[in-house]
Amino acid sequence: MPIHFQFSIFNYLYMKHVGIFCILLLVSMGTFGQSANVDSLVNILETQNLSAEKKLDLYKDISQKYMQNDLEKFKKYTALGLELAVKERNKKMQAAFNANTGVFYSYKASYDTALVYMEKALELAKETKNENLEAKLYVNMALNYSMKGDFSKEIEYDLKALPIFEKIGDDKSFITLLVNLGTTYRSLYDEERALYYIDRANKLAEETGYSHGKILVYYAYAGIYYNQKEFEKALEYYLKSIEICKKENNKHFEILCAQSIATVYLEYLKDYRKAEEYANESLQQAIEFGDPFRIRGSLRILAQIRLIQKRYKDCENLATEAWEIDSTDIDTSPDLASMIAISNIHLNNKEKAEHFFHMYIDLNGEKSKKSLQETLIGMEVKYETEKKEMKIASLEKEKQLYIWLGITGILLAIALGVVLRQKMKSIRKEKQLIATRSVLDGEMGERTRLARDLHDRLSGNLSAVKIGLNNQTESLQNVCNKLDSCIEEIRRVAHNLMPASLQFGMKVALEDFAAQFPNVHFHFFGEEHRIEERKEFVIYCCANELVNNSLRHSGAKNINLQLVQDEKHVTLTVQDDGSGFNEKSVAQGIGLKNIRDRVSSCDGKIDIVTSPGKGTETIIEIK
């Protein structure tokens, strides 16, 4: 009776070796030439007299081109390149070749050795400030830790690489890292998060046309559908992936895809002919590539097919060959031991069957123990990851809160600054008004005193002199005439300084002032009543200044002086038909400045309408 085993080959291929996805990141060029190109580069290297620097570049290019299709030549040219880089003390190239050496040991599943070389490369990459290589090394080291079952280290190194790739804008490397993160979350049974990263990688791969990125994405999608038991969908993506592998001559991934396709046909679609076809294809490619672990995987699938076909001798031979390559792998060795045991039962080799049956029990126990440990580690990593994500989210909210508080503080500071500025402006204006009023009050007092002294004392003294002179001879008549002129002038000055008529109100004072000039015409409208003495003085001084300005500067033939008074306002208007002026050019003159200061001291308004050749109209309004 045939026994059908549900082997864990998918987990072996997808989890144990998924880390090899990113090996390409360690190579600077990222393209894979055909063998003709490689041969031409080798020919140049062997036949031409080249500088050490040129040789190093060629070693790097040649090893890169062999990386996916000839593992031994990849190792050869990497070793030659590293030897020359050390001799030339070229640290940049030492870093690159140490990284490639780590890649080689990753292919060979010697993960500890791979990490040693990658650590050397990382140190040199940091020393030479090669951020691109540094980030790629973080990814590859993460994958090696993943294959060792250390998921905590894997996530730690992936997260170190992430900000560097975002900073330098390396789309190809970023795609691969996104796939790796998706794979990690899939291993933690968080398929929603896994799809989030793989979808992002897929979008970027489509935008950039990065063919290797598409291989990774399709393979990752296939793995998710496989786990969801959507095997037809998984097969569709495996076939898409292997098609690109063949176009790009990517032997490594072609083997991996062929093994996965064979597994789907074998275990779930029950198409043993197709399963055998792809298993043989993967075996042939693995032998050519020189990868014993890929050879072992293909032998294992073929052994399973022979067991189902009841070809027990072939099954034993294939399983034994795979066992001899590596019997220590806990994930797959129990399956090989069970196939060898079952085959020998049917071949009547009881001792051998019993031996491998016990091996199967022991290995399966270790596998169960490891599986439990990995599950616990996975749960722990998932918990720690979620805790970090929650902390990051909390820090983001806290950061946003600080930003808003900062913005609010800035706005409050601006508002406070505006208020303080307005306050200071008001204080300065108030001080200016107080100062102006003080000057005006002082001016009024001084004018009053000066006018009184001129009129009462000096004018009186001059009159006394005149009386005395009248008693003298007729020859002094001319002196008397001059004294009359002096007396009249003093009276006029005294009147202008502080007109006596102002004590009877603005109307009387302005009428008296206008009467001095034949071309000044005074008009009054409204109800006459007395207002604050200082304001009356300001209005009189402004009228005096404006009329005198018109007489001296404008050449006006007629000047209208108008006063309008009601219960709330007093409005003074001075209008002439003179030459006018450009207000902008004379607005800061002393005369106009004095008028504005006087009006401002009474909280009044002044408006001047003028233009060259069209006269001037000045309107002053005081409450």
Side-chain angles (χ1 to χ4, degrees), residues 409-504:
I410 291 168
L411 291 174
L412 285 173
I414 292 170
L416 183 60
V418 171
V419 170
L420 288 174
R421 185 179 177 184
Q422 292 295 332
K423 185 71 175 174
M424 292 300 293
K425 190 175 179 181
S426 298
I427 290 170
R428 282 197 299 270
K429 187 176 180 181
E430 186 176 347
K431 286 181 177 179
Q432 185 179 359
L433 287 172
I434 292 169
T436 304
R437 286 171 180 170
S438 297
V439 170
L440 287 172
D441 290 344
E443 184 182 353
M444 284 176 63
E446 190 61 24
R447 279 172 176 259
T448 301
R449 184 190 65 76
L450 191 56
R452 186 170 58 249
D453 287 348
L454 284 171
H455 185 274
D456 295 343
R457 297 171 61 185
L458 186 56
S459 181
N461 290 337
L462 288 171
S463 296
V465 172
K466 179 182 177 183
I467 293 168
L469 288 172
N470 283 334
N471 296 326
Q472 302 299 320
T473 62
E474 197 66 30
S475 60
L476 297 176
Q477 184 61 42
N478 290 335
V479 177
C480 290
N481 292 338
K482 290 180 181 179
L483 286 173
D484 282 336
S485 297
C486 287
I487 293 166
E488 186 60 32
E489 181 65 21
I490 290 168
R491 284 176 178 169
R492 190 179 67 79
V493 171
H495 180 76
N496 287 337
L497 282 170
M498 183 55 68
S501 56
L502 194 57
Q503 61 183 309
F504 302 109

Side-chain angles (χ1 to χ4, degrees), residues 166-360:
E166 287 181 320
K167 175 186 173 184
I168 64 179
D170 186 345
D171 290 336
K172 293 181 179 181
S173 302
F174 196 64
I175 289 168
T176 310
L177 181 55
L178 289 172
V179 174
N180 290 345
L181 285 168
T183 303
T184 302
Y185 277 104
R186 192 205 65 79
S187 71
L188 298 174
Y189 308 103
D190 189 346
E191 291 192 352
E192 181 180 351
R193 195 71 176 164
L195 278 170
Y196 166 74
Y197 283 109
I198 295 168
D199 286 343
R200 283 184 65 188
N202 183 40
K203 183 180 178 182
L204 193 54
E206 291 292 336
E207 289 174 357
T208 58
Y210 180 37
S211 56
H212 184 70
K214 291 179 182 179
I215 294 172
L216 300 182
V217 169
Y218 293 154
Y219 198 91
Y221 276 137
I224 288 176
Y225 286 122
Y226 189 101
N227 273 12
Q228 293 174 345
K229 302 190 183 302
E230 296 185 36
F231 302 114
E232 295 284 354
K233 200 76 174 173
L235 182 62
E236 177 187 339
Y237 277 97
Y238 283 135
L239 290 170
K240 282 184 178 181
S241 186
I242 200 171
E243 183 182 354
I244 302 174
C245 289
K246 289 178 178 179
K247 287 180 181 178
E248 298 293 321
N249 194 30
N250 189 331
K251 296 293 184 185
H252 162 65
F253 244 91
E254 188 179 342
I255 297 165
L256 206 58
C257 290
Q259 289 178 340
S260 299
I261 293 167
T263 301
V264 174
Y265 277 124
L266 171 64
E267 297 191 3
Y268 299 101
L269 301 181
K270 311 301 181 186
D271 188 336
Y272 304 128
R273 184 185 64 80
K274 280 284 188 183
E276 186 173 352
E277 176 188 336
Y278 279 97
N280 279 321
E281 181 183 327
S282 67
L283 179 60
Q284 182 182 348
Q285 296 284 1
I287 291 170
E288 289 178 8
F289 189 57
D291 185 344
F293 294 94
R294 297 292 178 270
I295 294 170
R296 183 176 182 272
S298 299
L299 290 171
R300 182 169 168 269
I301 298 170
L302 285 168
Q304 186 182 0
I305 294 170
R306 297 294 179 259
L307 184 63
I308 293 169
Q309 293 171 339
K310 299 181 182 180
R311 295 166 58 180
Y312 300 116
K313 187 60 182 175
D314 290 341
C315 175
E316 184 201 15
N317 291 338
L318 291 166
T320 300
E321 189 177 349
W323 177 270
E324 288 172 353
I325 291 172
D326 183 12
S327 62
T328 61
D329 181 43
I330 299 300
D331 290 317
T332 56
S333 292
D335 296 336
L336 292 172
S338 68
M339 284 190 284
I340 295 170
I342 292 167
S343 295
N344 278 282
I345 288 171
H346 288 280
L347 294 171
N348 292 318
N349 295 326
K350 294 182 180 179
E351 289 184 6
K352 194 172 183 179
E354 184 178 355
H355 170 73
F356 275 94
F357 183 71
H358 286 300
M359 291 290 293
Y360 166 74

Side-chain angles (χ1 to χ4, degrees), residues 92-106:
K92 185 176 180 181
M93 283 299 188
Q94 285 181 51
F97 288 117
N98 270 298
N100 278 2
T101 306
V103 170
F104 172 77
Y105 283 107
S106 291

Side-chain angles (χ1 to χ4, degrees), residues 532-566:
E532 186 182 340
E533 182 182 0
R534 182 167 53 81
K535 291 183 178 180
E536 288 183 339
F537 174 68
V538 166
I539 292 169
Y540 178 83
C541 289
C542 289
N544 192 323
E545 184 76 33
L546 290 168
V547 169
N548 280 307
N549 282 347
S550 294
L551 291 170
R552 287 197 301 268
H553 304 300
S554 73
K557 294 180 180 179
N558 294 289
I559 300 172
N560 288 320
L561 179 61
Q562 177 180 289
L563 184 67
V564 179
Q565 188 173 2
D566 58 28

Side-chain angles (χ1 to χ4, degrees), residues 34-145:
Q34 301 301 319
S35 58
N37 291 332
V38 181
D39 292 339
S40 64
L41 292 176
V42 172
N43 184 56
I44 292 170
L45 183 66
E46 293 176 350
T47 60
Q48 295 187 18
N49 186 18
L50 304 171
S51 65
E53 186 178 353
K54 184 62 178 176
K55 282 184 179 180
L56 286 172
D57 287 336
L58 282 171
Y59 281 135
K60 185 178 178 183
D61 289 343
I62 292 167
S63 63
Q64 173 185 307
K65 291 177 184 294
Y66 278 130
M67 184 172 64
Q68 288 297 319
N69 48 42
D70 193 325
L71 204 56
E72 290 305 315
K73 287 184 179 179
F74 168 58
K75 177 187 177 183
K76 172 185 173 182
Y77 287 100
T78 295
L80 289 171
L82 180 58
E83 182 182 355
L84 182 57
V86 171
K87 181 180 177 182
E88 294 295 319
R89 298 182 180 180
N90 188 326
K91 292 185 177 181
K92 185 176 180 181
M93 283 299 188
Q94 285 181 51
F97 288 117
N98 270 298
N100 278 2
T101 306
V103 170
F104 172 77
Y105 283 107
S106 291
Y107 275 127
K108 292 292 186 180
S110 299
Y111 305 123
D112 289 326
T113 305
L115 285 167
V116 170
Y117 279 98
M118 288 179 185
E119 285 285 0
K120 288 181 183 178
L122 181 62
E123 185 179 342
L124 289 163
K126 288 180 178 179
E127 189 176 340
T128 56
K129 302 187 185 306
N130 188 342
E131 288 187 321
N132 192 293
L133 181 57
E134 180 186 348
K136 291 173 182 178
L137 282 164
Y138 283 139
V139 173
N140 281 273
M141 292 171 77
L143 294 164
N144 277 274
Y145 280 118

